């Protein structure tokens, strides 16, 4: 098949052409399936797909709106196996940076006693560690991604344990632990890790429920005392 024939196939697929030519993709973009094309076209497309992927990553990784980056990661990668490996190699600095951030956060949690600072650190987990970009990366079937996900999950479990042992308001502590564990909703995890997170979540929610019940009882007592004084 000639270069012009490949160009014609690309031109006939509007969403794919927009991605390759203009580096444009969003949440509503529907790309064709890889199986819609033969291997010769995929080989021809692969370097172009790589260029679009890396361009979108570089443009959006530090931007507020990352919808294009999330969409292209989530999509079926329209490239050959060699280019897939190349994309994972490109993502290594992102993975290594995030792992280092996770390690640093764990140390900060361990060394911090101030409640306000602990709240800020918990928010950083959502923003920098278990964020939307990493969540969609977790769905990819790749060994480096599996190890990446396992590492971040292990760090978060250890952070929950660190919080559990902090001397601070039980209500605030349980809210922070719940926030961390619920970040992993809809993420497929190793059985042992899923069970560990569920234990922390169950304990936190149970304690929060007890606190609410106690609060209601105390409020009722206050109302009863007020009624008795007025009678």
């Amino acid at each position: 098949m000639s270069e012009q024939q490949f160009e014609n196939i690309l031109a006939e697929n509007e969403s794919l052409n927009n991605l390759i030519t203009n580096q444009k993709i969003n949440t509503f973009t529907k790309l064709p399936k890889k199986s819609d094309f033969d291997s010769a076209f995929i080989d021809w497309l692969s370097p172009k797909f790589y260029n679009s992927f890396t361009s979108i990553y570089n443009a959006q990784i530090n931007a507020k709106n990352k919808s294009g980056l999330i969409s292209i990661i989530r999509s079926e990668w329209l490239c050959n196996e060699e280019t897939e490996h190349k994309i994972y190699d490109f993502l290594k600095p992102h993975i290594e940076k995030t792992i280092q951030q996770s390690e640093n956060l764990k140390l900060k949690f361990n060394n911090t006693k101030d409640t306000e600072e602990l709240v800020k650190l918990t928010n950083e987990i959502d923003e920098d560690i278990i964020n939307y970009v990493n969540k969609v990366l977790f769905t990819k079937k790749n060994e480096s991604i599996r190890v990446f996900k396992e590492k971040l999950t292990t760090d978060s479990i250890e952070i929950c344990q660190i919080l559990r042992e902090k001397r601070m308001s039980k209500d605030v502590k349980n809210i922070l632990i719940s926030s961390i564990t619920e970040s992993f909703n809809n993420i497929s995890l190793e059985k042992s890790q899923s069970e560990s997170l569920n234990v922390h979540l169950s304990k936190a929610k149970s304690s929060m429920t007890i606190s609410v019940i106690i609060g209601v009882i105390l409020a009722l007592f206050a109302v009863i005392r007020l009624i008795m004084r007025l009678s």
Side-chain angles (χ1 to χ4, degrees):
M1 203 174 280
S2 68
E3 177 79 13
Q4 187 57 54
Q5 287 174 307
F6 288 143
E7 292 283 1
N8 291 342
I9 293 172
L10 180 61
E12 289 167 3
N13 288 270
E14 184 179 354
S15 59
L16 179 58
N17 190 30
N18 201 26
L19 171 64
I20 298 301
T21 306
N22 303 313
Q23 289 78 52
K24 298 292 185 183
I25 184 173
N26 59 49
T27 307
F28 305 104
T29 299
K30 188 174 181 181
L31 293 173
K33 295 179 180 179
K34 191 173 178 178
S35 58
D36 292 342
F37 308 106
D38 62 24
S39 59
F41 177 78
I42 292 297
D43 284 342
W44 175 83
L45 185 69
S46 289
K48 302 178 189 300
F49 182 86
Y50 177 84
N51 287 338
S52 291
F53 187 103
T54 55
S55 294
I56 292 169
Y57 176 93
N58 289 330
Q60 295 192 11
I61 189 59
N62 294 315
K64 187 173 182 180
N65 183 357
K66 296 179 174 66
S67 61
L69 177 57
I70 291 166
S71 296
I72 195 169
I73 294 173
R74 183 186 286 121
S75 71
E76 182 181 15
W77 292 356
L78 297 171
C79 59
N80 56 29
E81 188 175 346
E82 180 184 351
T83 304
E84 272 196 24
H85 290 311
K86 194 176 175 184
I87 291 173
Y88 286 121
D89 284 342
F90 169 80
L91 290 169
K92 275 183 180 178
H94 170 86
I95 291 171
E96 290 168 358
K97 178 184 176 182
T98 308
I99 288 173
Q100 188 58 59
Q101 286 176 308
S102 182
E103 285 284 349
N104 292 342
L105 268 178
K106 190 167 63 173
L107 286 172
K108 287 179 182 178
F109 269 99
N110 200 41
N111 296 329
T112 300
K113 294 180 181 178
D114 182 69
T115 299
E116 187 176 340
E117 184 63 24
L118 289 169
V119 171
K120 289 179 182 177
L121 292 175
T122 301
N123 289 335
E124 286 184 38
I125 293 177
D126 268 343
E127 294 170 5
D128 300 329
I129 311 301
I130 313 301
N131 54 31
Y132 286 117
V133 171
N134 289 334
K135 281 181 177 180
V136 291
L137 270 177
F138 291 164
T139 65
K140 293 301 176 181
K141 305 298 182 184
N142 174 268
E143 180 61 16
S144 65
I145 299 299
R146 186 195 67 77
V147 172
F148 177 50
K149 178 175 70 172
E150 189 172 299
K151 169 61 178 167
L152 298 190
T153 307
T154 299
D155 284 350
S156 294
I157 291 169
E158 290 177 10
I159 287 170
C160 286
Q161 187 58 43
I162 289 168
L163 282 170
R164 180 76 56 202
E165 296 168 3
K166 292 284 184 186
R167 291 185 177 180
M168 59 187 293
S169 162
K170 284 186 179 180
D171 289 342
V172 175
K173 178 190 299 187
N174 289 321
I175 289 170
L176 296 183
I177 290 172
S178 294
S179 175
I180 294 169
T181 54
E182 288 175 350
S183 296
F184 289 86
N185 285 349
N186 302 319
I187 297 176
S188 177
L189 300 173
E190 297 290 332
K191 184 180 178 182
S192 60
Q193 291 185 319
S194 180
E195 288 173 350
S196 294
L197 283 169
N198 285 335
V199 166
H200 283 296
L201 181 60
S202 296
K203 285 181 179 178
K205 287 193 170 180
S206 175
S207 296
M208 287 163 69
T209 301
I210 292 169
S211 294
V212 170
I213 292 170
I214 291 171
V216 170
I217 292 170
L218 290 174
L220 285 172
F221 277 135
V223 171
I224 291 168
R225 286 196 191 101
L226 181 60
I227 292 171
M228 289 176 68
R229 285 176 186 173
L230 295 174
S231 62

